[in-house]
C-alpha cells in the first residue's frame, strides 16, 4: 500500500471526527437505540353474545384476539390468521366476517355473536344440532367458523342476496347445494367434511334443496 494512500485514509478519519464535533452530537449519543413509541390503548364497548363488554385494547388488536385473549371466548379459532381459512368467522350485526382481518376498535357499539352465543349444551342452535346429527365437524377445529358461516349463509339466501352462482338475479335465490357450496367456499375443512356440512345446512334450510 502506498504512503499517499495511508495518509489519505487518516485524513478521512480525522475529517469524520471533526464533523461529529462540529455538529455537536456526541458519538455515544449518535449510537443510542431509538425509543419505541408506546402502544395506543383505547376503550371500546361492544355487545358480545348479548352482553355489553368494555375493553381497553391496543389499537392494533384484532377482533379475533380481543375475543380470545381479552374475553376468553376461545370457541372462535385462529387458523391461518390471514383471512383465508374462515376458522375465525363470527357474526357482526348478523353478518359474517373474518375476525382476524378486523380491528377491535372498529366495532364500537356493534353486536358480536360467536359460537358461544349461538347456543350451548342443552339449548343448541338448530345448525349446531344439525352438524352433530350429520357428523359435520370431524376434528372440530374449523367447526365454530363453519357453523357461524352456515347460519349467515341461510340468512343471506333468505334475504335474497345473490351469489356468483345465482342464475337469475331478478329472482330470489334458493337454498340449493350450489348456492351453499359457493357461499361456504371461504371456510376450509381439511378433514373433508364438506358433504356432511352441506347435509346439515340443507336440513336446517328445511330440505328445500
Amino acid at each position: 500500500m502506498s504512503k499517499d494512500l495511508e495518509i489519505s485514509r487518516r485524513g478521512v478519519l480525522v475529517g469524520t471526527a471533526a464533523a461529529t464535533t462540529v455538529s455537536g452530537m456526541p458519538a455515544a449519543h449518535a449510537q443510542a437505540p431509538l425509543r419505541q413509541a408506546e402502544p395506543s390503548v383505547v376503550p371500546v364497548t361492544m355487545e358480545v353474545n348479548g352482553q355489553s363488554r368494555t375493553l381497553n385494547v391496543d389499537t392494533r388488536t384484532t377482533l379475533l384476539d380481543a375475543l380470545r385473549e381479552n374475553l376468553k371466548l376461545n370457541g372462535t379459532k385462529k387458523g391461518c390468521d390471514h383471512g383465508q381459512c374462515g376458522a375465525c368467522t363470527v357474526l357482526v350485526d348478523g353478518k359474517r366476517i373474518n375476525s382476524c382481518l378486523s380491528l377491535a376498535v372498529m366495532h364500537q357499539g356493534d353486536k358480536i355473536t360467536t359460537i358461544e352465543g349461538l347456543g350451548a349444551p342443552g339449548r343448541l342452535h338448530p345448525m349446531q344440532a344439525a352438524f352433530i346429527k350429520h357428523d359435520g365437524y370431524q376434528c372440530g377445529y374449523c367447526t365454530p367458523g363453519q357453523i357461524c358461516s352456515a347460519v349467515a349463509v341461510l340468512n343471506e339466501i333468505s334475504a335474497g342476496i345473490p351469489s356468483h352462482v345465482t342464475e337469475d338475479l331478478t329472482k330470489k335465490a334458493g337454498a340449493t347445494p350450489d348456492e351453499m357450496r359457493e357461499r361456504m367456499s371461504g371456510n376450509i375443512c381439511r378433514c373433508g367434511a364438506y358433504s356432511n356440512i352441506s347435509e346439515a345446512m340443507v336440513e336446517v334450510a328445511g330440505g328445500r334443496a
Side-chain angles (χ1 to χ4, degrees):
M1 184 176 295
S2 69
K3 184 176 181 181
D4 291 342
L5 183 56
E6 289 181 357
I7 292 174
S8 177
R9 183 181 299 168
R10 283 196 294 272
V12 170
L13 293 174
V14 170
T16 302
T20 302
T21 302
V22 170
S23 68
M25 179 183 292
H29 185 271
Q31 297 174 357
L34 296 175
R35 291 185 58 189
Q36 293 185 341
E38 293 293 327
S40 178
V41 177
V42 299
V44 58
T45 299
M46 59 184 79
E47 183 179 311
V48 181
N49 298 334
Q51 295 184 353
S52 180
R53 307 295 296 266
T54 298
L55 306 172
N56 290 313
V57 295
D58 186 323
T59 52
R60 299 165 295 183
T61 303
T62 65
L63 178 59
L64 171 61
D65 287 337
L67 292 171
R68 287 180 57 84
E69 306 300 331
N70 296 71
L71 296 179
K72 307 304 179 187
L73 294 170
N74 297 323
T76 304
K77 303 305 182 188
K78 178 176 284 192
C80 65
D81 213 19
H82 286 78
Q84 297 175 344
C85 73
C88 65
T89 302
V90 298
L91 306 180
V92 176
D93 294 334
K95 298 178 181 178
R96 55 186 171 147
I97 69 166
N98 291 323
S99 59
C100 72
L101 296 183
S102 188
L103 296 175
V105 294
M106 297 167 61
H107 296 285
Q108 180 75 31
D110 285 352
K111 294 182 179 179
I112 315 296
T113 303
T114 69
I115 190 67
E116 294 93 340
L118 284 179
R123 54 174 183 82
L124 294 177
H125 185 280
M127 191 65 76
Q128 292 172 313
F131 265 60
I132 294 173
K133 178 181 178 181
H134 294 277
D135 193 16
Y137 45 84
Q138 297 199 11
C139 90
Y141 194 81
C142 72
T143 306
Q146 296 273 6
I147 291 176
C148 285
S149 195
V151 169
V153 161
L154 296 189
N155 290 340
E156 291 167 10
I157 293 174
S158 180
I161 299 173
S163 75
H164 288 296
V165 299
T166 303
E167 294 182 357
D168 189 348
L169 298 182
T170 65
K171 297 180 180 178
K172 191 173 180 179
T176 66
D178 284 346
E179 286 285 353
M180 293 183 192
R181 281 195 290 267
E182 165 61 24
R183 295 169 193 263
M184 292 292 290
S185 60
N187 289 79
I188 307 300
C189 172
R190 291 176 176 80
C191 301
Y194 296 120
S195 60
N196 299 352
I197 291 170
S198 179
E199 290 173 5
M201 293 178 67
V202 168
E203 178 174 308
V204 176
R208 288 174 290 174

